[in-house]
Amino acid sequence: MRVCVCVCVCVHACVRVCLQLFLVSLAFVYFAKAFCGAYLKSSITQIERRFDIPSSLIGVIDGSFEMGNLLVIAFVSYFGAKLHRPRLIGIGCLIMAIGSFLIAMPHFFQGPYKYETSMSHNTQVNSTETILPCLANHTSLLSVSCEEAAGSSMWVYVFLGNVLRGIGETPIMPLGVSYLDDFSKQENTPFYLACIHTVGILGPMVGFMMGSYLAKIYVDIGFVNLESITITYKDSRWVGAWWLGFIVSGTVILLSSIPFFFLPKSLPKQGEEDSNHTNTELATVTEQEHFLPDEAHGDEKEKLVTFQEMVKDFIPSIKRLFKNSIYSMMILTNLVSVNSFIGMITFKPKFMEQTFGQSASKAIFLIGIMNLPAVALGIITGGFVLKRFKLSIVGAARVAMAASIGSFCMLGIQNFLHCDNAEVAGLTVSYKGYPELSYNQQSLLSECNMGCSCSLKHWDPVCAYNGMTYASPCLAGCQTSSGTGRTMVFHNCTCISDSVMKATNMSAVLGQCPRKGECDSKFKIYMALSVVGSFMSACGGTPGYIVLLRSIQPDLKSLALGMQTLIVRTLGGIPPPIYFGALIDLTCLKWGTKQCGGRGACRIYDANAFRITFLGLITGLYFLTNILGGILYVIIVKRQKKLSLRNQENENGLEGNEVSNGHASINIAKNSEDTSKESTI
């Protein structure tokens, strides 16, 4: 690789090879980081159940990635642009890998998972003794040793590992994209970015697919007798092998770091040997040196600049950046959009599970196999449209705006698709079978189970043959049982006979009852709208990114991308999982109970309240995004009209001003000192 670095200075072919190597390496890193990030999203439900924590706290854990970014993003973006960018990216990947391994660590120090149950039937696998649910002594269950339950606080390691992932991911986007844009042809940049993001979207696909697969594998596989487990992966208490995915993803990230330690600090501009003229393309730093001798001279000195001088120039650079009205408006628009997206992707599997009765594994699988390919196709389509039609900055903004409006329409229709609540006696329906929503634990008691001394805290659902779910065998009034493990059947359940929905017998089996058949057809329509909306939204991703790149000066590019990442992830990445989770917690009907008492994870939600809260928040944020996007589009169009008039003046004899105003058809700055040497695409 050292030979390649030397030859790249002189030989055009080697320049192309080095740039292609960087392109491939950056695409692989995008894949690796997206793979790990998506797997974390797919494991949110499993982590929540494993550590018995509410959705609001799981939102804090999810937002810790952005907290790590917040710690270093501004400094990495500014100082990193003046250092060895590829090497910094490689170091960041190493830190990300360490964070992934740290997330998986609690599994190896925590005791076996003991799911919540109202009776000890899960330990009676080899016994022939008949269990009497209604007569069981439920008070003895809380005498389980609380020492093992203290292991639930080990979610802190997941939090810290995610913080490290955020710190390590920091250099990848601002330094990687700026490096690519600095040394590639401007007409190739949109296509390169589309390719990188398309490869990157394969990461979430693989991450969600692996999350779906591991969600079906019991968390303590290899350490417990699986025949003694009485719950299935469809149960709200089930915990999959969440830890295994972080070991795999950490290894992939570790491998992705290797090429960056052998890439050069800089490259000659792609194709500059063949291009001796200028046009309406973006004025790069290299091109500007021919027109701005003072700034070119300053760039030579920049190689010898001290750390103190870089620090002194940091605040003025920030001020120059935010004087750019288009950049500032784009930051605000992206901020609102990311709030909606992060909240949606974090809790969408849970939404599908609670609203449409899908298992967590199936919900994750469908997102990975349907939504994410649509996003990949949308990203590459947006990049192709820009390259094929050679759209200006206004054209790119128009494509992004149209895509945003289209996806908003698809989202609006989704609000009208929903299923009824699952029929759970005492929570969503009365014991007679009539609709009766209740957030009060006392509603679980009825005349049919009053003499059983049942615990109201535990969630151990059984499904009766009349299609109604009961919170536990005891609350169903079951007198006897037969079978072992998952095949256990409860008989003579007195509450079943009280229901208006008569059953062929008075028996019940472990687990919740499935939703009604009409819910499946509604779910298929929902998924179709979701896929189309994902494609439309992704079509505007690359055009919007290009508008951002073309709205900033080349010497501020890394800082601008870093500040965008800082602001958007601080205010758009950290709060949404927290306030989405807190509001979703308000719709919980039945909370789980920890081994030593206290509230655990939610077991069942009010599906209608969940839908209104979840989709209502997303729809409102997307509506605001479209309003801000429309304002941004108007600003860009007005700016173009002004600059078109200025360019006409230049053509009529003021060509000398092109040095100070730039030779592009789009100029972002208002003053000659702060002119943005940016152009159309």
Side-chain angles (χ1 to χ4, degrees):
M1 286 307 302
R2 292 182 180 178
V3 175
C4 179
V5 173
C6 297
V7 176
C8 280
V9 179
C10 308
V11 183
H12 179 71
C14 288
V15 172
R16 185 170 62 252
V17 169
C18 288
L19 186 62
Q20 289 175 350
L21 178 59
F22 180 82
L23 179 63
V24 171
S25 302
L26 187 63
F28 184 45
V29 166
Y30 265 67
F31 167 84
K33 74 182 184 69
F35 169 46
C36 186
Y39 180 74
L40 177 64
K41 293 290 186 184
S42 70
S43 302
I44 286 294
T45 301
Q46 311 300 322
I47 295 174
E48 178 181 351
R49 295 172 181 174
R50 181 64 181 95
F51 297 103
D52 256 335
I53 52 181
S55 296
S56 55
L57 183 53
I58 205 68
V60 174
I61 294 175
D62 184 70
S64 62
F65 179 85
E66 278 71 29
M67 296 177 191
N69 260 264
L70 172 63
L71 294 175
V72 295
I73 183 64
F75 302 100
V76 168
S77 301
Y78 181 69
F79 298 113
K82 304 175 186 299
L83 302 173
H84 198 299
R85 285 180 282 186
R87 198 167 293 168
L88 286 176
I89 294 174
I91 294 173
C93 291
L94 292 178
I95 297 175
M96 287 184 68
I98 295 173
S100 297
F101 295 140
L102 182 61
I103 292 175
M105 192 178 70
H107 172 76
F108 300 97
F109 297 98
Q110 205 168 7
Y113 173 58
K114 294 184 178 180
Y115 51 88
E116 176 187 2
T117 180
S118 62
M119 50 196 303
S120 59
H121 56 70
N122 60 318
T123 63
Q124 302 286 335
V125 178
N126 298 321
S127 175
T128 58
E129 180 183 355
T130 300
I131 298 174
L132 307 177
C134 187
L135 303 178
N137 183 8
H138 304 284
T139 59
S140 62
L141 292 172
L142 292 179
S143 63
V144 179
S145 174
C146 292
E147 295 179 0
E148 294 182 359
S152 60
S153 63
M154 295 189 74
W155 62 264
V156 173
Y157 289 96
V158 180
F159 176 89
L160 295 176
N162 210 27
V163 170
L164 284 181
R165 283 186 57 248
I167 293 174
E169 195 264 355
T170 303
I172 296 175
M173 193 278 288
L175 301 188
V177 173
S178 63
Y179 187 92
L180 183 66
D181 194 49
D182 284 346
F183 304 121
S184 64
K185 288 184 179 180
Q186 294 306 308
E187 63 266 24
N188 290 337
T189 301
F191 184 71
Y192 287 162
L193 289 176
C195 290
I196 289 173
H197 285 95
T198 301
V199 173
I201 204 66
L202 296 176
M205 289 175 60
V206 177
F208 274 93
M209 295 289 285
M210 187 171 71
S212 174
Y213 174 73
L214 294 179
K216 294 182 179 180
I217 300 176
Y218 192 65
V219 59
D220 293 318
I221 185 172
F223 299 94
V224 298
N225 180 12
L226 296 181
E227 294 182 357
S228 66
I229 306 301
T230 61
I231 58 176
T232 67
Y233 68 90
K234 296 181 180 180
D235 197 290
S236 61
R237 295 164 294 169
W238 176 273
V239 175
W242 62 274
W243 53 274
L244 188 57
F246 290 105
I247 295 177
V248 175
S249 60
T251 303
V252 173
I253 294 174
L254 187 64
L255 293 175
S256 71
S257 68
I258 296 174
F260 291 97
F261 292 101
F262 301 98
L263 284 164
K265 181 179 180 181
S266 62
L267 293 170
K269 183 72 175 178
Q270 184 187 34
E272 67 176 359
E273 298 88 350
D274 303 326
S275 301
N276 296 321
H277 63 280
T278 57
N279 48 29
T280 59
E281 294 174 4
L282 170 69
T284 64
V285 176
T286 305
E287 291 171 333
Q288 289 171 14
E289 290 176 354
H290 300 293
F291 296 97
L292 303 172
D294 292 338
E295 291 195 11
H297 180 66
D299 287 341
E300 293 295 326
K301 291 182 178 180
E302 190 176 351
K303 297 179 181 179
L304 301 175
V305 73
T306 63
F307 180 79
Q308 290 78 6
E309 290 173 331
M310 286 194 295
V311 172
K312 187 180 298 183
D313 188 51
F314 179 71
I315 298 300
S317 296
I318 292 292
K319 291 181 179 179
R320 288 174 57 205
L321 185 62
F322 283 97
K323 284 182 180 179
N324 187 331
S325 60
I326 292 182
Y327 175 78
S328 300
M329 194 65 190
M330 283 206 69
I331 293 295
L332 182 60
T333 305
N334 289 341
L335 179 60
V336 179
S337 177
V338 169
N339 264 264
S340 178
F341 174 77
I342 294 296
M344 177 187 66
I345 198 65
T346 301
F347 295 105
K348 186 171 184 176
K350 179 177 285 190
F351 169 76
M352 295 164 64
E353 181 182 359
Q354 295 294 328
T355 303
F356 296 102
Q358 306 299 313
S359 67
S361 174
K362 185 178 180 181
I364 296 167
F365 175 80
L366 290 175
I367 292 174
I369 203 67
M370 297 182 70
N371 288 90
L372 296 181
V375 171
L377 182 60
I379 290 175
I380 197 67
T381 300
F384 174 77
V385 168
L386 290 181
K387 185 174 177 64
R388 173 66 178 82
F389 297 101
K390 299 180 180 179
L391 297 178
S392 66
I393 198 171
V394 176
R398 189 177 294 119
V399 171
M401 189 65 194
S404 180
I405 293 175
S407 63
F408 176 74
C409 293
M410 295 297 102
L411 179 62
I413 300 175
Q414 294 174 28
N415 284 270
F416 299 98
L417 295 172
H418 63 90
C419 300
D420 294 331
N421 276 308
E423 294 181 347
V424 181
L427 293 178
T428 61
V429 295
S430 67
Y431 274 84
K432 295 293 184 181
Y434 301 112
E436 185 181 274
L437 195 66
S438 175
Y439 288 81
N440 187 358
Q441 297 265 24
Q442 294 299 321
S443 63
L444 291 171
L445 293 177
S446 179
E447 293 181 0
C448 60
N449 57 32
M450 195 66 72
C452 293
S453 302
C454 301
S455 170
L456 302 181
K457 297 181 179 180
H458 295 96
W459 176 255
D460 192 15
V462 292
C463 177
Y465 283 91
N466 60 1
M468 185 181 295
T469 300
Y470 296 87
S472 70
C474 181
L475 289 171
C478 301
Q479 305 297 319
T480 61
S481 67
S482 62
T484 58
R486 297 178 185 175
T487 62
M488 183 176 289
V489 179
F490 300 90
H491 306 286
N492 300 324
C493 303
T494 57
C495 291
I496 298 178
S497 61
D498 285 358
S499 173
V500 295
M501 299 179 289
K502 299 301 181 182
T504 56
N505 59 56
M506 300 298 105
S507 300
V509 295
L510 290 170
Q512 283 185 248
C513 296
R515 294 290 181 93
K516 296 179 180 179
E518 61 183 18
C519 193
D520 289 336
S521 59
K522 292 181 179 179
F523 178 67
K524 292 176 182 178
I525 299 174
Y526 165 79
M527 284 304 302
L529 292 172
S530 178
V531 169
V532 174
S534 298
F535 172 78
M536 289 184 174
S537 179
C539 283
T542 302
Y545 204 72
I546 290 300
V547 172
L548 176 64
L549 285 177
R550 296 297 179 263
S551 69
I552 50 183
Q553 295 175 258
D555 63 315
L556 297 177
K557 193 174 298 179
S558 292
L559 178 62
L561 293 175
M563 290 304 300
Q564 183 226 15
T565 304
L566 170 66
I567 296 172
V568 170
R569 285 191 166 169
T570 301
L571 301 178
I574 298 175
I578 299 175
Y579 67 76
F580 266 78
L583 292 174
I584 287 173
D585 280 342
L586 297 177
T587 68
C588 183
L589 290 174
K590 182 69 176 72
W591 289 97
T593 304
K594 295 182 179 181
Q595 292 181 21
C596 301
R599 195 174 77 174
C602 184
R603 302 307 183 191
I604 185 171
Y605 294 85
D606 176 2
N608 290 325
F610 191 114
R611 174 181 57 86
I612 294 171
T613 301
F614 181 72
L615 290 183
L617 275 174
I618 296 173
T619 304
L621 290 170
Y622 261 113
F623 178 76
L624 182 57
T625 298
N626 281 277
I627 296 297
L628 294 174
I631 297 174
L632 175 62
Y633 177 74
V634 171
I635 293 175
I636 293 175
V637 171
K638 287 184 177 180
R639 184 63 55 83
Q640 185 192 40
K641 290 180 179 179
K642 284 184 179 181
L643 297 176
S644 296
L645 294 175
R646 185 178 302 175
N647 289 338
Q648 289 179 1
E649 293 178 356
N650 292 339
E651 291 176 359
N652 293 332
L654 299 177
E655 297 179 357
N657 291 336
E658 289 181 1
V659 175
S660 59
N661 292 338
H663 56 21
S665 62
I666 295 270
N667 190 342
I668 305 305
K670 297 180 180 179
N671 302 322
S672 59
E673 294 179 356
D674 292 329
T675 50
S676 160
K677 292 82 184 176
E678 301 297 336
S679 68
T680 56
I681 300 170

